[in-house]
Amino acid sequence: MATKVMQLDYDTGELIEIYETIKEAAKDNWMDPNDLAKYIRKGNGMAMFKNKKIAFKRIGV
């Protein structure tokens, strides 16, 4: 089962977009899918990218 993620505004936490997969989110934001997945796991479902000013949060389990 694919992991859905939502992209949030880095400063306000407002929802920007929902992606069906980590791969889709990574591609749309010029990132490596493996890196995004790793940071989401490390952050217990949340990945913050200060240099890009974007954040991602896993949806569901």
Side-chain angles (χ1 to χ4, degrees):
M1 184 172 186
T3 301
K4 283 187 172 186
V5 293
M6 58 181 142
Q7 181 180 352
L8 306 171
D9 182 275
Y10 184 86
D11 295 316
T12 66
E14 290 180 72
L15 177 65
I16 294 174
E17 191 161 350
I18 294 177
Y19 295 98
E20 293 297 316
T21 65
I22 289 175
K23 185 175 181 179
E24 184 183 317
K27 182 180 176 186
D28 198 41
N29 289 280
W30 302 90
M31 304 171 78
D32 181 290
N34 294 320
D35 287 343
L36 180 54
K38 178 177 74 175
Y39 284 108
I40 288 173
R41 279 192 307 275
K42 266 177 82 174
N44 292 320
M46 187 79 177
M48 305 286 286
F49 295 92
K50 187 176 183 178
N51 60 335
K52 292 185 176 222
K53 290 291 219 182
I54 55 175
F56 295 91
K57 184 174 182 182
R58 181 177 55 224
I59 299 173
V61 179

